[in-house]
Amino acid sequence: MHPSSESAHLASRTWETVGRPVLLVPIGSTEQHGPHLPLDTDTLVATTVADRAASELRDDGLDAVVAPAIAYGASGEHQDFPGTISIGREALTLLLVEFGRSACEWAGRLVFVNGHGGNVESLTGAVRQLRDEGRDAAWLSCSPDLREAASRKLPRDAHAGRTETSLIAHLRPRDLRADRIITGETASLAEIMPRLRAEGVRAVSPTGVLGDPTGASPGEGRELLDAICAAAIRRLRTSRVTENGSLND
């Protein structure tokens, strides 16, 4: 079966047309992103990256398909803000392990495409277990190559700042509340991490913003998304799995 003959989305296929694809699984969160960004920001980014990556792999002749997104993650640090739904690290790890065991019965390869930093601990543990069990599983982050990002002066901040605001301005501008943009806590993540872990985001930033979203633009978001997708595609093509189960180029 040539990849172009069937849908790039798993949910649109029938069991007879599933085959043994490379299965890309977007994983994000449902959590606050300040007063100006939607709760599904991380999931939207992960899904977009997975879709772009699948398209490129299919152009290479590989049958890559995108699964329905896992839209709930480990977001306990955001729990003080309404709208946040966190299932916690332990539950997320179990979900990913059982997901992988099931999907790897028919998928040629399983790759989780992660859009939320709080999911990394669960992804690392789950993918290590799946690989120890002999399953071809890995994960990758929705992040650009750091050297490339620095050379192109792309924005990089922690949460609901200029980075994510630019991405949403490009991807789904109708959900960007531009009149509510406000500068949040701009100290480095290293500086605020101890308090953030101990007390949550609200203790550090009452608005939930970590960074300065002012100056964000759709053009910057497009450039940033292109860099994220390019890095994800390189990692998928290289297929080098690191010690923590992530793909690295």
Side-chain angles (χ1 to χ4, degrees), residues 190-213:
E191 291 178 74
I192 64 176
M193 185 57 75
R195 190 176 180 198
L196 192 154
R197 286 189 178 277
E199 302 177 49
V201 173
R202 189 182 280 277
V204 176
S205 172
T207 64
V209 177
L210 302 176
D212 183 2

Side-chain angles (χ1 to χ4, degrees), residues 9 28 44-45 59 78 132 150 176 181 207 226:
H9 294 99
L44 173 60
V45 172
D59 286 345
H78 300 279
D132 286 346
L176 171 59
I181 289 176
T207 64
D226 287 345

Side-chain angles (χ1 to χ4, degrees), residues 135-160:
R135 295 175 171 87
D136 189 356
W139 66 275
L140 62 83
S141 63
C142 293
S143 60
D145 177 83
L146 295 182
R147 286 170 295 183
E148 180 184 359
S151 67
R152 294 169 61 179
K153 297 182 179 179
L154 297 175
R156 184 167 180 260
D157 46 28
H159 183 77

Side-chain angles (χ1 to χ4, degrees), residues 74-114:
S75 302
E77 66 274 15
H78 300 279
Q79 194 60 68
D80 286 339
F81 295 88
T84 296
I85 300 175
S86 173
I87 62 174
R89 292 185 179 88
E90 185 176 346
L92 180 59
T93 302
L94 178 59
L95 185 157
L96 296 175
V97 168
E98 293 300 335
F99 186 110
R101 286 172 174 165
S102 179
C104 287
E105 288 294 307
W106 47 265
R109 182 172 221 199
L110 168 67
V111 180
F112 295 106
V113 179
N114 182 45

